[in-house]
Amino acid sequence: RSLGDMLEISQEKGFGCGMAPSYDDTATAHFPGSKSIYHYTPLLYQFNMTHYSRLERDSNNDFTSPHEDLGTWIRSLGTELPFPITPVCYGGTFVASGASIRTKDSSFWSRLEQSLSRGNNIEEGHFAERTWAGFLSKPLRSDQISALTAYTTYIDTKEMFLYYMGMLVHYDYDKFPDKGPITVARHHSLAEE
Protein backbone atom coordinates (compact mmCIF):
# COMPACT_ATOMS: atom_id res chain seq x y z
CA ARG A 1 0.00 0.00 0.00
CA SER A 2 1.07 3.59 -0.52
CA LEU A 3 1.69 5.94 2.38
CA GLY A 4 -1.44 7.85 1.35
CA ASP A 5 -3.54 4.67 1.51
CA MET A 6 -2.14 3.79 4.93
CA LEU A 7 -2.88 7.31 6.24
CA GLU A 8 -6.44 7.15 4.92
CA ILE A 9 -7.05 3.75 6.55
CA SER A 10 -5.53 4.94 9.85
CA GLN A 11 -7.95 7.88 9.97
CA GLU A 12 -10.86 5.45 10.09
CA LYS A 13 -9.36 2.47 11.93
CA GLY A 14 -6.57 4.10 13.95
CA PHE A 15 -4.03 1.92 12.14
CA GLY A 16 -3.04 1.35 8.51
CA CYS A 17 -0.90 -1.61 7.43
CA GLY A 18 1.55 -1.40 4.54
CA MET A 19 0.78 -4.95 3.44
CA ALA A 20 -2.67 -5.52 1.98
CA PRO A 21 -4.45 -8.83 2.67
CA SER A 22 -4.80 -11.30 -0.22
CA TYR A 23 -8.23 -12.35 -1.38
CA ASP A 24 -9.63 -15.27 -3.43
CA ASP A 25 -8.14 -14.02 -6.69
CA THR A 26 -4.66 -14.75 -5.27
CA ALA A 27 -5.52 -18.32 -4.29
CA THR A 28 -3.15 -20.96 -5.61
CA ALA A 29 -2.94 -24.73 -5.36
CA HIS A 30 -0.26 -24.22 -2.67
CA PHE A 31 -2.47 -21.86 -0.62
CA PRO A 32 -6.02 -22.12 -2.01
CA GLY A 33 -7.61 -19.52 0.23
CA SER A 34 -7.97 -15.90 1.18
CA LYS A 35 -5.34 -14.82 3.71
CA SER A 36 -6.87 -12.48 6.25
CA ILE A 37 -5.28 -9.84 8.46
CA TYR A 38 -7.42 -11.28 11.26
CA HIS A 39 -6.16 -13.99 13.60
CA TYR A 40 -7.77 -16.08 16.32
CA THR A 41 -6.20 -14.61 19.47
CA PRO A 42 -5.86 -17.84 21.55
CA LEU A 43 -3.85 -19.50 18.75
CA LEU A 44 -1.86 -16.35 18.00
CA TYR A 45 -0.82 -16.33 21.67
CA GLN A 46 0.83 -19.75 21.09
CA PHE A 47 3.11 -18.42 18.34
CA ASN A 48 6.87 -18.84 18.82
CA MET A 49 9.95 -19.33 16.64
CA THR A 50 13.32 -20.96 17.19
CA HIS A 51 15.32 -19.06 14.55
CA TYR A 52 15.09 -16.56 11.71
CA SER A 53 17.73 -15.43 9.24
CA ARG A 54 16.58 -13.04 6.55
CA LEU A 55 19.91 -11.31 6.06
CA GLU A 56 23.43 -12.71 6.06
CA ARG A 57 24.27 -10.59 9.11
CA ASP A 58 21.40 -12.12 11.12
CA SER A 59 22.68 -14.32 13.92
CA ASN A 60 20.47 -16.75 15.82
CA ASN A 61 22.78 -16.81 18.87
CA ASP A 62 20.47 -14.65 20.99
CA PHE A 63 17.29 -15.11 18.95
CA THR A 64 15.13 -17.08 21.40
CA SER A 65 13.07 -14.97 23.77
CA PRO A 66 13.05 -15.61 27.51
CA HIS A 67 9.25 -15.77 27.03
CA GLU A 68 7.75 -19.12 26.04
CA ASP A 69 5.49 -17.65 23.36
CA LEU A 70 3.76 -14.50 22.17
CA GLY A 71 1.09 -14.76 24.87
CA THR A 72 3.56 -14.78 27.77
CA TRP A 73 5.45 -11.90 26.12
CA ILE A 74 2.21 -9.87 25.81
CA ARG A 75 1.38 -10.45 29.46
CA SER A 76 4.91 -9.39 30.49
CA LEU A 77 4.10 -6.03 28.90
CA GLY A 78 1.03 -5.72 31.14
CA THR A 79 -1.56 -5.88 28.37
CA GLU A 80 -3.70 -8.22 26.27
CA LEU A 81 -4.72 -8.33 22.61
CA PRO A 82 -8.34 -8.01 21.47
CA PHE A 83 -10.37 -11.18 21.99
CA PRO A 84 -11.37 -13.41 20.25
CA ILE A 85 -10.01 -11.92 17.01
CA THR A 86 -6.89 -9.74 16.54
CA PRO A 87 -5.72 -7.90 13.43
CA VAL A 88 -2.11 -8.60 12.41
CA CYS A 89 0.10 -6.48 10.13
CA TYR A 90 2.96 -8.46 8.59
CA GLY A 91 5.99 -6.72 7.17
CA GLY A 92 6.58 -4.09 9.85
CA THR A 93 5.37 -1.13 7.76
CA PHE A 94 2.38 0.74 9.19
CA VAL A 95 0.89 4.08 10.17
CA ALA A 96 -0.91 4.73 13.47
CA SER A 97 -2.91 7.74 14.60
CA GLY A 98 -1.77 9.73 17.62
CA ALA A 99 -5.06 8.88 19.32
CA SER A 100 -4.36 5.14 18.89
CA ILE A 101 -0.86 5.51 20.31
CA ARG A 102 -2.24 7.36 23.33
CA THR A 103 -4.59 4.46 24.17
CA LYS A 104 -1.55 2.84 25.82
CA ASP A 105 0.21 4.61 28.70
CA SER A 106 3.87 5.59 28.60
CA SER A 107 4.88 2.73 30.92
CA PHE A 108 3.59 0.23 28.33
CA TRP A 109 5.68 1.84 25.58
CA SER A 110 8.74 1.82 27.89
CA ARG A 111 8.31 -1.92 28.61
CA LEU A 112 7.90 -2.60 24.89
CA GLU A 113 11.00 -0.58 24.02
CA GLN A 114 13.03 -2.38 26.68
CA SER A 115 11.88 -5.78 25.41
CA LEU A 116 12.79 -4.92 21.81
CA SER A 117 16.21 -3.57 22.84
CA ARG A 118 17.53 -7.03 23.77
CA GLY A 119 19.15 -7.41 20.33
CA ASN A 120 18.76 -7.00 16.58
CA ASN A 121 17.51 -10.37 15.32
CA ILE A 122 15.27 -11.45 18.22
CA GLU A 123 12.07 -13.42 18.63
CA GLU A 124 10.42 -10.45 20.34
CA GLY A 125 10.62 -8.56 17.04
CA HIS A 126 8.40 -11.23 15.48
CA PHE A 127 6.06 -11.03 18.45
CA ALA A 128 5.83 -7.24 18.01
CA GLU A 129 5.21 -7.56 14.26
CA ARG A 130 2.13 -9.65 15.06
CA THR A 131 0.83 -7.27 17.74
CA TRP A 132 1.16 -3.69 16.40
CA ALA A 133 -2.25 -3.80 14.70
CA GLY A 134 -3.88 -5.34 17.78
CA PHE A 135 -2.37 -2.68 20.03
CA LEU A 136 -3.19 0.27 17.77
CA SER A 137 -6.39 -0.54 15.80
CA LYS A 138 -9.88 0.36 16.89
CA PRO A 139 -11.56 -2.75 18.35
CA LEU A 140 -13.86 -4.81 16.13
CA ARG A 141 -17.59 -4.53 16.77
CA SER A 142 -19.54 -7.69 17.61
CA ASP A 143 -21.23 -7.71 14.16
CA GLN A 144 -17.77 -7.59 12.51
CA ILE A 145 -16.58 -10.50 14.66
CA SER A 146 -19.73 -12.46 13.68
CA ALA A 147 -19.15 -11.77 9.96
CA LEU A 148 -15.50 -12.86 10.17
CA THR A 149 -16.50 -16.01 12.05
CA ALA A 150 -19.12 -16.90 9.42
CA TYR A 151 -16.68 -16.35 6.51
CA THR A 152 -13.80 -18.31 8.06
CA THR A 153 -13.47 -21.91 6.89
CA TYR A 154 -10.44 -22.69 9.05
CA ILE A 155 -7.79 -21.16 11.27
CA ASP A 156 -4.16 -21.69 10.34
CA THR A 157 -1.97 -23.57 12.79
CA LYS A 158 1.73 -24.43 12.88
CA GLU A 159 0.91 -27.54 10.83
CA MET A 160 0.46 -25.47 7.69
CA PHE A 161 2.36 -22.16 7.90
CA LEU A 162 4.30 -21.40 11.08
CA TYR A 163 4.43 -17.68 10.38
CA TYR A 164 0.65 -17.28 10.02
CA MET A 165 -0.37 -19.07 13.23
CA GLY A 166 -3.97 -18.26 14.08
CA MET A 167 -4.80 -16.62 10.71
CA LEU A 168 -8.46 -16.77 9.71
CA VAL A 169 -8.66 -18.24 6.20
CA HIS A 170 -11.48 -18.76 3.73
CA TYR A 171 -10.82 -21.60 1.29
CA ASP A 172 -12.21 -21.48 -2.24
CA TYR A 173 -13.49 -25.06 -2.51
CA ASP A 174 -14.87 -24.46 -6.02
CA LYS A 175 -11.41 -23.58 -7.39
CA PHE A 176 -9.53 -26.28 -5.47
CA PRO A 177 -11.99 -29.02 -4.43
CA ASP A 178 -9.21 -31.50 -3.64
CA LYS A 179 -7.77 -29.23 -0.91
CA GLY A 180 -10.93 -28.70 1.14
CA PRO A 181 -11.63 -31.94 3.04
CA ILE A 182 -7.97 -32.64 3.86
CA THR A 183 -7.26 -29.14 5.07
CA VAL A 184 -10.40 -28.66 7.13
CA ALA A 185 -9.81 -31.96 8.91
CA ARG A 186 -6.34 -30.83 10.02
CA HIS A 187 -7.11 -27.30 11.15
CA HIS A 188 -8.79 -25.69 14.09
CA SER A 189 -12.18 -24.17 13.30
CA LEU A 190 -14.05 -21.31 14.94
CA ALA A 191 -17.08 -23.61 14.91
CA GLU A 192 -15.25 -25.82 17.43
CA GLU A 193 -15.32 -23.03 20.03
Side-chain angles (χ1 to χ4, degrees):
R1 290 189 176 131
S2 70
L3 178 59
D5 289 345
M6 289 189 292
L7 286 168
E8 187 175 324
I9 293 166
S10 72
Q11 288 176 352
E12 177 189 341
K13 300 180 185 286
F15 183 91
C17 184
M19 187 177 287
S22 67
Y23 298 102
D24 286 333
D25 61 343
T26 62
T28 65
H30 177 65
F31 194 98
S34 297
K35 293 184 229 175
S36 167
I37 66 166
Y38 296 103
H39 289 57
Y40 181 57
T41 309
L43 276 178
L44 181 61
Y45 272 19
Q46 295 173 31
F47 173 80
N48 63 20
M49 296 175 74
T50 57
H51 64 281
Y52 181 82
S53 294
R54 184 176 55 94
L55 303 172
E56 191 175 314
R57 67 170 166 79
D58 290 342
S59 166
N60 284 299
N61 291 343
D62 297 318
F63 180 82
T64 304
S65 172
H67 303 286
E68 178 182 349
D69 53 28
L70 185 143
T72 56
W73 177 75
I74 288 281
R75 290 180 187 103
S76 78
L77 299 175
T79 193
E80 295 286 339
L81 288 173
F83 188 85
I85 296 173
T86 300
V88 172
C89 176
Y90 291 100
T93 304
F94 61 88
V95 171
S97 69
S100 290
I101 293 168
R102 288 188 295 275
T103 63
K104 300 285 188 192
D105 62 35
S106 61
S107 65
F108 164 79
W109 295 113
S110 294
R111 288 188 300 274
L112 179 61
E113 179 184 16
Q114 181 179 7
S115 174
L116 294 174
S117 297
R118 186 175 68 79
N120 182 34
N121 182 37
I122 58 173
E123 190 176 17
E124 291 90 330
H126 296 273
F127 293 162
E129 177 184 22
R130 287 157 177 75
T131 58
W132 293 119
F135 290 154
L136 298 166
S137 296
K138 291 180 181 173
L140 291 172
R141 299 182 317 265
S142 61
D143 62 311
Q144 293 170 318
I145 292 170
S146 295
L148 284 165
T149 301
Y151 189 69
T152 298
T153 54
Y154 87 94
I155 302 171
D156 208 356
T157 68
K158 274 190 177 180
E159 290 177 29
M160 187 76 163
F161 294 105
L162 162 69
Y163 302 118
Y164 300 136
M165 179 128 180
M167 179 184 285
L168 306 186
V169 177
H170 176 81
Y171 263 143
D172 184 345
Y173 297 115
D174 294 330
K175 260 186 177 175
F176 303 98
D178 61 318
K179 295 290 183 180
I182 297 167
T183 305
V184 170
R186 290 189 315 186
H187 291 81
H188 184 86
S189 168
L190 280 171
E192 296 171 7
E193 295 306 307

